[in-house]
Amino acid sequence: MKEGMSEKVITEPRVYLVGRQILDSKIFEAFLDDEGLAFKTDTDVPAEIIAEIAGRTCYMSFDKGRKTNTEYLERIISSHHGSVLEHAVWNFLITGISRSLTHELIRHRAGWGYSQLSQRYVDESDARYVCPPLYRDNEELYAKWLAAIESAHKTYLELVDATDPYVEELFPAMPKTDRRKIVRQSARSVLPNACETKIFITANARALRHFFEMRGSSHADTEIRELAITMFRLMKEESPNIFADLGVVLHDGIESIDVIHSKV
């Protein structure tokens, strides 16, 4: 097998946490002053503060009850008051995942926003491919998979080259950029689900908890489970109070995410 194609193979996702909320403390203090209230919290994580503020607004309990953010959010989560967590939002850039994975990922709708790489506009001549976890340690299966990937990639390149003059003949007055889009949108049909994609995601805490529970399960597809675990470890460090009841465990030798309070 050609060395060049082997170098295009990816075996793990990369997750970049590129955006998080901030709390406008001055405006919030103005609200407290107007209402004659006092509020203190022990966390520095804006998302956790915002979730606590949202919850305390429901009962106007800013200076009452549980004193720590840890205690407050634990009560919110254990009582399944999940709507409070919808106010905490993060932004991610994810690479090194297949279109097979994103076909499943974008089924998560409530609380999610997506912007994905377009194969109509982006030239996939240098595309990379994500090897399914099952094939990574089996030389025979990996070789068969790699041969199929190489064939599909080669066909894509040939179709692009052959289609370009045909589209120019059909639409001579069309701008070149638009002609290239027509060429790629047709040629991409032969690219496999293993083709790597890049996606920008916005998700709130409640949506992330549901994703970790569903896709971090030992019953989930292996590739998306790996992504869920990678994202979870990042978020466990980012917001330990919101994800306090979730953890990575081994089930029959399979790394998965365990949840104490299900379907919050």
Side-chain angles (χ1 to χ4, degrees):
M1 190 57 56
K2 293 182 180 179
E3 184 65 19
M5 184 56 70
S6 296
E7 293 174 353
K8 293 178 180 293
V9 174
I10 302 169
T11 58
E12 61 182 24
R14 288 189 177 182
V15 179
Y16 305 87
L17 178 58
V18 297
R20 55 176 62 86
Q21 285 176 303
I22 62 170
L23 173 70
D24 193 322
S25 299
K26 290 184 177 179
I27 298 299
F28 178 56
E29 287 292 340
F31 160 77
L32 293 173
D33 290 342
D34 289 345
E35 296 294 329
L37 299 171
F39 173 72
K40 290 183 179 180
T41 188
D42 61 336
T43 180
D44 295 324
V45 180
E48 294 175 349
I49 299 172
I50 288 169
E52 182 176 356
I53 290 171
R56 290 190 182 277
T57 298
C58 295
Y59 309 102
M60 291 303 286
S61 59
F62 289 95
D63 52 357
K64 302 174 185 176
R66 292 165 180 81
K67 299 303 181 185
T68 70
N69 182 268
T70 302
E71 292 172 336
Y72 189 82
L73 291 184
E74 193 284 328
R75 177 57 179 167
I76 286 291
I77 291 167
S78 64
S79 63
H80 288 228
H81 192 7
S83 61
V84 168
L85 304 181
E86 294 175 7
H87 302 289
V89 178
W90 291 272
N91 312 106
F92 306 87
L93 256 172
I94 301 176
T95 68
I97 57 175
S98 70
R99 285 191 168 262
S100 179
L101 185 155
T102 57
H103 289 337
E104 293 198 358
L105 176 63
I106 61 173
R107 293 175 186 170
H108 293 266
R109 297 307 307 165
W112 294 81
Y114 304 102
S115 297
Q116 186 171 1
L117 179 148
S118 170
Q119 287 184 325
R120 298 179 71 201
Y121 287 90
V122 176
D123 181 10
E124 293 284 34
S125 298
D126 293 321
R128 300 186 298 175
Y129 298 90
V130 180
C131 180
L134 187 64
Y135 298 158
R136 294 172 190 167
D137 297 320
N138 185 300
E139 290 186 9
E140 182 180 356
L141 292 174
Y142 176 76
K144 289 181 181 295
W145 174 84
L146 192 60
I149 293 300
E150 183 179 42
S151 176
H153 187 81
K154 182 174 181 289
T155 301
Y156 171 80
L157 297 177
E158 291 172 347
L159 277 171
V160 168
D161 288 342
T163 307
D164 190 49
Y166 176 61
V167 172
E168 184 176 3
E169 180 182 341
L170 288 176
F171 310 104
M174 181 180 290
K176 189 174 182 180
T177 300
D178 293 336
R179 288 205 306 268
R180 282 199 301 264
K181 181 176 68 175
I182 293 175
V183 170
R184 291 168 184 166
Q185 73 185 16
S186 298
R188 67 176 175 165
S189 63
V190 301
L191 291 173
N193 276 342
C195 194
E196 187 232 10
T197 189
K198 298 170 175 59
I199 191 167
F200 190 101
I201 294 172
T202 297
N204 68 50
R206 189 183 199 182
L208 286 169
R209 284 181 58 95
H210 179 255
F211 174 72
F212 295 151
E213 180 175 355
M214 299 299 293
R215 304 302 183 173
S217 165
S218 59
H219 302 291
D221 171 81
T222 308
E223 188 192 353
I224 201 169
R225 184 172 68 247
E226 288 181 344
L227 174 64
I229 291 173
T230 299
M231 291 179 68
F232 166 69
R233 285 186 165 130
L234 189 63
M235 295 310 300
K236 183 78 168 184
E237 183 176 346
E238 169 76 11
S239 180
N241 292 348
I242 289 178
F243 302 98
D245 62 314
L246 284 73
V248 176
V249 297
L250 285 177
H251 284 169
D252 298 325
I254 298 175
E255 206 171 45
S256 58
I257 298 175
D258 186 57
V259 181
I260 294 176
H261 300 296
S262 175
K263 300 179 181 179
V264 171

